[in-house]
Amino acid sequence: MMNKVFVNYTDSDKGIAKSIAESLRSSTVNTPLWDRFVSFETRYKKGALIGEGGSKNVYRMYDNYTQRLVAVGELKNRPSEEKYESFIREACITASLEHPNIVPLYDMGLDDNGPYTIMKLVDKRTLSDVITKARRKRLRSYD
């Protein structure tokens, strides 16, 4: 059994990461790609709300790093630490699963608003659409 370790980053850690990023940008390794690696706000261009559940919202966003549309799941409001743990645990489980009917999780992280997940954007029917269609089909079969 593999233990999972979650790290809480301090302001000092963030400062170190920022200084490393700045030194990489100013070094001889400097390429246009390094300029893209800055922050969540810089990486993702927020789009429309495309889904809402009991505890999270899902937004369509554009990923400037990979230059593709993705779905970003964020917890609603200011949740408790228990909700954070549950959200992160669900993300870890989802990331470990591979099946054609499971939306792949690309990444997860933590910003000023709390934890978030980056998933494949699937522009297809929602579960609600599938249920509604099945009910209509069933009702027509009774006619």
Side-chain angles (χ1 to χ4, degrees), residues 24-116:
L24 286 172
R25 276 195 289 272
S26 64
S27 71
T28 57
V29 183
N30 189 11
T31 68
L33 292 177
W34 282 112
D35 292 336
R36 295 183 190 177
F37 294 92
V38 184
S39 68
F40 181 88
E41 292 79 19
T42 303
R43 180 172 180 174
Y44 298 102
K45 181 178 179 187
K46 197 167 198 172
L49 176 70
I50 58 173
E52 186 174 352
S55 62
K56 72 179 170 183
N57 292 323
V58 179
Y59 297 90
R60 175 189 317 268
M61 293 195 185
Y62 182 76
D63 183 344
N64 289 309
Y65 286 8
T66 61
Q67 300 178 349
R68 65 180 169 189
L69 289 171
V70 295
V72 177
E74 300 176 332
L75 285 171
K76 291 181 179 179
N77 306 318
R78 283 283 186 200
S80 65
E81 282 188 32
E82 184 178 307
K83 291 266 189 193
Y84 274 34
E85 287 292 321
S86 177
F87 183 86
I88 293 168
R89 193 174 298 112
E90 178 186 334
C92 290
I93 291 168
T94 302
S96 70
L97 301 173
E98 290 187 36
H99 188 275
N101 295 332
I102 297 174
V103 177
L105 184 102
Y106 294 145
D107 198 6
M108 58 191 264
L110 183 65
D111 67 2
D112 293 338
N113 298 320
Y116 60 87

Side-chain angles (χ1 to χ4, degrees), residues 7-31:
V7 178
N8 291 324
Y9 291 101
T10 64
D11 289 337
S12 174
D13 294 327
K14 292 175 187 174
I16 292 167
K18 186 176 180 180
S19 66
I20 291 170
E22 288 171 0
S23 69
L24 286 172
R25 276 195 289 272
S26 64
S27 71
T28 57
V29 183
N30 189 11
T31 68

